[in-house]
Amino acid sequence: MSLLDKKFCVSVTDNHGRITYVNDNFCALSGYSKEELIGKSYGVVNPGYTPERFIKEIKQHSSRNEAWQKNIKAFAKDGTPYWVSAHIIPILDDNGEITQFLSIDNDITSRELTKEKYKETLQNLHNIQNALDHSSVVAITDAKGVITYVNDTFCELSQYSRDELIGKTHRIVNSKFHPKSFFKELWNTVQSGEIWQGDVCNRAKDGSLYWVRTTIVPFLDAEGNPEQYIAIRHDITDRKQAEESLEIALQNDFQTTVKNLQNAIFKYTTTEDGEIEFTLFEGQIIERLGISADKINAQEVIHSFTKEELQQFKNYLLAGMAGEIVQFELNHDGLFFLVYLSPIAKDGKVVEVVGTAIDITQRIEAEKVIQHMAYYDSLTGLPNRRNLQEKIKQKIAKADDGDRFSVMFLDLDRFKNINDTLGHHVGDQLLVAVGQRLRDCVQIDDAVARLSGDEFVVLIDTADTDELTTLAEQIINDISQPYFFDNQEVFVAPSIGIALYPDDGEDYSTLIRSGDTAMYLAKEASRGTFRFFTEELHEELLEKTFFEMELRQSLEKGQFLLHYQPQFDLVTGQIKGIEALARWNHPHRGYIPPMKFIPIAEENGFILPLGEWVLKTACAQAKAWQEQGFPPLRISVNVSIRQFKQPSFVEDVRRILNKTGLHPSYLNLEITESMMSDVKHCETVLRELHDAGITVSVDDFGTGYSSLLYLSKFPLSHLKIDQAFIRELSKSNTAIVKAIIDLAKNLGLNVIAEGVETDEQGNFLKQLGCNEVQGYLYSKPIPAKEIEQWMPHTVS
């Protein structure tokens, strides 16, 4: 399977926006047949599409030598939405004018559906962490800061309804307390992908002010750009009011005031020996914990902390006494506190420090939930793309000259078939199970990441190819073992691409791209295997890709032509027919042999327009010879299995005969034995061709499998003996040739032997009673003008 057709949806439009070609992937994704798409515009799958705007936009990009790329949402025939990343390439003629547009689309539906699922998860965050919605203000915005979701707590605190908030920005609650520079710094932080934290003063609908401790987490798309933001806020109005009341309390009955505060309030100073001494420790939370100034001074709570933590706390307290405003977090007895230290000075000297300790346990727990969602895959629990990207970037930043590591890029062969046949529920279970097996193979936490869909990456701290080979073989073996879901046995195998740092990439994007390329090379070689990235293989892949692109443009550029090889009657020596054979005359590569371009054309679907062109050109040439006064001859044209299986195949042949004016009796179609495996379809098509007066031959007979029972029932005219039996007339081959000729005679069929190159081969076939021959002994395939010398012609 070629790279383009295996990974991409490919389509071609003319310069009016009408579709002239689509590949099988495009049809499979959209649900439309090729007949339903050809001649239409992209408006079939994209209601918002207009050819005029599309062509104008492409030409503008082309004039600036820029590639056109967009992520597009489309709708399949059954109304199901799907998404593609579309890359449009204009195709130019020899004068540099645009004649067509080639679209190479990557199916990103899985990724987009994952995004939708991710958004839904965020919007229902209170179901994941119930305490979050009860204790926190939650809001989600898009990349531009427009609010897309708020919880009930946000509405209660701001006094705005959900309808009043959705679609607005947070300017609706802006108190104008903070300068513009405050919000500029906030936006710069989150737009760079970093998490922002701080205290914000907002204004409620009734004009009252309230304070919130705010954490904003950006969620990034596959390219690392923020696509939405989730803000978790906690009402700290009481704390702010307590701080404002603090100075008043210092001048009044401080002890009575602070006892009723929710948070902890404390004061301390230093003794003559420089030791910390607490003079006050009050607040309702302190009472619940059973802590007092006397207990702290008596060091009755130091067992809760390590020596390092105690020394750090002491450094904070001494910094406060030195005149610094200090803020730090403290973990005690399963609770988290945010501690502020405010020095109190008299006559320029710090006499004591007043501190507050705020319970932020719920906020910390909420942030842990958000942190996990931002860095781990919600289905498998594995590190996600963002997590992997940061890990690799950190490893690269810390790497010395000799440091090396590697990545294994892995995806599951035919995973889409499992989703389509067994359902996404089984597919999800399979992805979870594969992730667990990968972790078991590596046995290192967070070394396995899931990028999207069925793509996984393993990060390994070695670049030793022997070790990597052993690990890759183990992964393939372990993942290929059967899985059991609801009494259903499921099999899947991985293809793995391996890229080494720094050999195959010195940055994250290049390294992952190299692994991805190696993985597709593994798929091309054989599914369920692995490949190391090499520049040679990469160049080979690029060459094949460009070769396929050039092949698609070759017909429009008039690079194809037909050569003709005569077929002679062995008894009379007269020419009986001519076989038309396609040749590609590339302007730079020269003549490209069919064995190089026909398999690729078969794989990517180009064989359909090419086959139609060959049939049309051959019929037109045969008719032209008749009009020039040459004796009417049978023209033979090869038919591909893709053509043969087209529902409109017989009608297409009739249409071409009518258009060219060639009588059906002069057309012979050559099919292969493999096309006869679908007996019911084959018999139907052959009967329709026979009724239309068109003869059919079986090409390369003897190399495939044919049931003699069905062969006798099919309306055939000739059997063509494969040239492999003729070129080497061994004892076994001569027996096969004799058997084929005898079989054909018993079935009332004529026999044509191809590839005849020597007199010995010709005489042998004549003795066996072979009807017709063709090959280099008589003539190689030659252009139309040269074949005319054989009309009429005899064999000596």
Side-chain angles (χ1 to χ4, degrees):
M1 181 63 72
S2 68
L3 175 63
L4 279 177
D5 265 333
K6 182 163 53 182
K7 187 174 182 183
F8 300 107
C9 297
V10 179
S11 59
V12 179
T13 63
D14 61 21
N15 56 10
H16 298 293
R18 291 188 296 266
I19 299 172
T20 60
Y21 169 79
V22 291
N23 70 345
D24 290 341
N25 278 357
F26 193 109
C27 295
L29 189 60
S30 68
Y32 289 97
S33 67
K34 293 184 179 179
E35 290 73 17
E36 292 174 306
L37 293 169
I38 301 298
K40 306 293 195 310
S41 75
Y42 290 130
V44 175
V45 295
N46 184 358
Y49 167 88
T50 59
E52 296 78 11
R53 188 174 70 231
F54 164 74
I55 294 171
K56 180 180 178 181
E57 192 172 331
I58 298 298
K59 288 183 176 180
Q60 287 175 347
H61 279 72
S62 178
S63 65
R64 298 194 297 267
N65 292 322
E66 295 176 353
W68 187 95
Q69 187 278 327
K70 279 188 179 179
N71 292 346
I72 297 172
K73 181 179 181 181
F75 292 90
K77 188 175 180 179
D78 62 3
T80 304
Y82 65 92
W83 289 260
V84 294
S85 176
H87 298 256
I88 307 293
I89 303 170
I91 301 173
L92 310 179
D93 59 17
D94 294 336
N95 298 321
E97 297 295 327
I98 296 176
T99 60
Q100 290 180 306
F101 301 96
L102 171 65
S103 179
I104 303 174
D105 306 337
N106 186 20
D107 181 8
I108 59 172
T109 304
S110 176
R111 188 182 79 191
E112 292 297 323
L113 289 176
T114 300
K115 288 182 182 178
E116 294 296 323
K117 185 176 180 181
Y118 208 45
K119 292 176 183 177
E120 182 181 349
T121 301
L122 290 175
Q123 291 173 347
N124 294 283
L125 190 58
H126 60 280
N127 293 328
I128 301 172
Q129 185 69 21
N130 216 12
L132 184 64
D133 231 8
H134 288 298
S135 63
S136 307
V137 176
V138 181
I140 301 173
T141 72
D142 62 16
K144 296 181 179 179
V146 176
I147 298 171
T148 58
Y149 169 82
V150 293
N151 68 344
D152 292 340
T153 310
F154 192 115
C155 297
E156 292 168 6
L157 190 59
S158 69
Q159 300 175 22
Y160 287 98
S161 69
R162 186 171 277 104
D163 290 340
E164 289 175 308
L165 293 168
I166 301 297
K168 305 293 195 306
T169 69
H170 279 87
R171 292 190 185 94
I172 192 172
V173 291
N174 188 354
S175 65
K176 302 191 183 304
F177 177 87
H178 304 284
K180 290 183 179 179
S181 58
F182 175 86
F183 293 105
K184 183 177 180 181
E185 184 272 333
L186 182 156
W187 270 104
N188 287 341
T189 300
V190 296
Q191 286 180 330
S192 67
E194 301 298 324
I195 296 172
W196 183 90
Q197 289 182 322
D199 294 344
V200 181
C201 179
N202 287 336
R203 186 179 300 277
K205 188 175 182 179
D206 66 357
S208 62
L209 300 180
Y210 63 92
W211 283 84
V212 284
R213 176 64 177 171
T214 302
T215 300
I216 301 176
V217 180
F219 282 75
L220 311 181
D221 60 19
E223 286 73 38
N225 299 315
E227 60 181 355
Q228 62 181 359
Y229 303 97
I230 179 166
I232 308 297
R233 301 180 175 89
H234 293 82
D235 185 5
I236 58 170
T237 306
D238 289 343
R239 192 256 291 173
K240 286 292 185 179
Q241 290 174 348
E243 290 175 352
E244 293 173 0
S245 302
L246 197 54
E247 290 191 15
I248 299 174
L250 288 173
Q251 300 174 9
N252 300 302
D253 187 357
F254 186 79
Q255 190 87 12
T256 302
T257 303
V258 298
K259 276 182 179 293
N260 296 313
L261 295 176
Q262 292 290 328
N263 301 309
I265 302 293
F266 58 88
K267 291 197 300 181
Y268 68 89
T269 184
T270 54
T271 64
E272 293 181 357
D273 299 330
E275 295 297 323
I276 300 295
E277 181 179 35
F278 285 87
T279 58
L280 176 72
F281 220 105
E282 295 291 351
Q284 292 186 17
I285 195 169
I286 297 301
E287 292 182 8
R288 294 202 306 270
L289 293 173
I291 300 175
S292 66
D294 291 340
K295 287 184 178 181
I296 294 177
N297 291 332
Q299 298 187 348
E300 293 181 13
V301 294
I302 63 173
H303 62 275
S304 301
F305 307 101
T306 65
K307 290 182 178 180
E308 292 77 13
E309 288 174 333
L310 289 171
Q311 183 59 50
Q312 184 64 59
F313 299 155
K314 184 176 182 179
N315 292 340
Y316 287 140
L317 298 175
L318 292 175
M321 286 300 299
E324 296 182 27
I325 297 175
V326 181
Q327 173 183 317
F328 63 94
E329 292 184 5
L330 172 66
N331 181 6
H332 174 68
D333 198 25
L335 299 177
F336 292 87
F337 297 92
L338 183 62
V339 180
Y340 290 89
L341 304 179
S342 301
I344 305 298
K346 287 185 180 180
D347 300 326
K349 181 180 179 181
V350 175
V351 295
E352 63 180 350
V353 176
V354 177
T356 61
I358 306 162
D359 184 359
I360 59 169
T361 305
Q362 290 181 334
R363 191 200 83 194
I364 293 296
E365 294 301 324
E367 288 176 356
K368 288 180 180 178
V369 173
I370 300 302
Q371 187 80 354
H372 190 274
M373 292 177 64
Y375 285 93
Y376 289 86
D377 176 50
S378 60
L379 176 64
T380 63
L382 295 173
N384 60 14
R385 183 187 298 270
R386 177 180 186 174
N387 194 326
L388 175 70
Q389 183 174 352
E390 291 192 7
K391 278 188 176 67
I392 292 179
K393 286 183 176 180
Q394 288 171 6
K395 289 181 74 70
I396 292 173
K398 295 178 181 178
D400 295 326
D401 291 340
D403 289 346
R404 291 163 60 82
F405 63 90
S406 58
V407 294
M408 286 187 178
F409 196 103
L410 174 151
D411 91 342
L412 307 178
D413 298 332
R414 287 184 283 271
F415 175 74
K416 186 177 184 298
N417 292 343
I418 294 174
N419 261 347
D420 292 343
T421 56
L422 302 181
H424 289 277
H425 174 65
V426 173
D428 286 349
Q429 292 183 74
L430 178 60
L431 291 173
V432 172
V434 168
Q436 185 57 55
R437 291 190 186 182
L438 278 174
R439 275 188 290 215
D440 293 342
C441 288
V442 180
Q443 296 182 342
I444 300 174
D445 289 342
D446 287 0
V448 179
R450 180 189 176 211
L451 294 193
S452 64
D454 62 332
E455 293 180 337
F456 296 83
V457 170
V458 182
L459 181 58
I460 307 156
D461 284 326
T462 183
D464 184 281
T465 55
D466 291 336
E467 292 181 30
L468 293 170
T469 296
T470 301
L471 178 58
E473 290 172 345
Q474 179 190 347
I475 289 174
I476 291 171
N477 180 67
D478 287 2
I479 291 181
S480 299
Q481 299 304 311
Y483 301 81
F484 296 91
F485 306 116
D486 301 328
N487 298 321
Q488 176 74 48
E489 190 174 23
V490 178
F491 291 90
V492 71
S495 291
I496 301 175
I498 306 174
L500 313 181
Y501 172 85
D503 309 49
D504 305 329
E506 296 183 355
D507 58 76
Y508 168 81
S509 297
T510 305
L511 198 61
I512 292 297
R513 186 167 60 250
S514 297
D516 190 19
T517 299
M519 183 270 293
Y520 276 102
L521 291 169
K523 278 187 179 293
E524 289 232 322
S526 173
R527 293 179 184 272
T529 187
F530 68 94
R531 286 289 183 272
F532 285 89
F533 177 84
T534 66
E535 282 298 332
E536 291 77 13
L537 289 176
H538 183 53
E539 291 298 327
E540 178 183 327
L541 193 62
L542 286 177
E543 169 64 17
K544 185 173 182 180
T545 301
F546 285 121
F547 184 82
E548 291 186 41
M549 293 174 63
E550 290 178 331
L551 181 59
R552 293 185 183 279
Q553 302 175 37
S554 55
L555 269 183
E556 289 291 334
K557 294 185 175 181
Q559 295 173 2
F560 271 96
L561 69 158
L562 292 185
H563 281 187
Y564 301 87
Q565 189 171 36
Q567 298 166 331
F568 297 98
D569 187 308
L570 261 179
V571 176
T572 65
Q574 293 182 338
I575 185 170
K576 297 287 290 183
I578 299 172
E579 181 177 5
L581 299 165
R583 293 292 185 267
W584 182 10
N585 186 15
H586 192 280
H588 305 298
R589 303 172 187 261
Y591 278 100
I592 299 175
M595 66 179 65
K596 184 170 182 180
F597 68 79
I598 290 295
I600 294 175
E602 287 275 10
E603 290 173 1
N604 64 24
F606 178 70
I607 197 68
L608 292 175
L610 177 60
E612 182 177 0
W613 177 87
V614 170
L615 182 60
K616 188 186 303 180
T617 305
C619 290
Q621 181 62 69
K623 181 63 176 176
W625 280 327
Q626 293 178 14
E627 292 176 347
Q628 293 173 38
F630 291 108
L633 292 172
R634 177 187 70 231
I635 187 78
S636 294
V637 178
N638 291 283
V639 175
S640 76
I641 190 169
R642 278 179 178 257
Q643 288 176 278
F644 195 70
K645 288 188 174 182
Q646 291 296 304
S648 62
F649 172 65
V650 176
E651 184 56 39
D652 291 340
V653 175
R654 287 199 191 102
R655 173 175 49 80
I656 289 173
L657 287 171
N658 289 335
K659 187 174 182 179
T660 58
L662 182 68
H663 194 274
S665 61
Y666 296 117
L667 174 62
N668 177 262
L669 300 178
E670 296 189 3
I671 66 173
T672 61
E673 282 185 271
S674 59
M675 298 184 199
M676 302 165 68
S677 59
D678 186 347
V679 176
K680 186 176 180 180
H681 175 74
C682 184
E683 185 173 13
T684 300
V685 174
L686 293 182
R687 289 292 174 194
E688 290 180 3
L689 291 171
H690 181 266
D691 292 344
I694 302 165
T695 60
V696 178
S697 305
V698 180
D699 194 11
D700 298 334
F701 189 78
T703 60
Y705 170 79
S706 298
S707 168
L708 299 183
L709 175 62
Y710 290 116
L711 190 63
S712 65
K713 292 184 176 181
F714 289 157
L716 301 169
S717 63
H718 292 76
L719 294 184
K720 281 189 82 173
I721 303 175
D722 186 75
Q723 57 186 344
F725 299 117
I726 306 300
R727 286 178 179 169
E728 184 180 346
L729 289 178
S730 62
K731 184 176 181 181
S732 59
N733 279 358
T734 55
I736 292 172
V737 172
K738 186 177 186 306
I740 292 174
I741 293 175
D742 290 342
L743 172 65
K745 288 182 178 179
N746 290 331
L747 294 176
L749 303 176
N750 289 323
V751 180
I752 300 178
E754 61 180 342
V756 182
E757 298 180 350
T758 66
D759 289 327
E760 178 191 2
Q761 295 167 352
N763 293 332
F764 169 74
L765 292 167
K766 194 170 186 178
Q767 292 171 7
L768 292 180
C770 180
N771 303 103
E772 298 177 32
V773 289
Q774 70 182 90
Y776 277 35
L777 177 62
Y778 312 106
S779 171
K780 65 180 181 179
I782 53 180
K785 279 295 180 185
E786 296 180 30
I787 200 73
E788 293 172 3
Q789 64 180 306
W790 298 101
M791 301 180 182
H793 189 75
T794 58
V795 181
S796 57

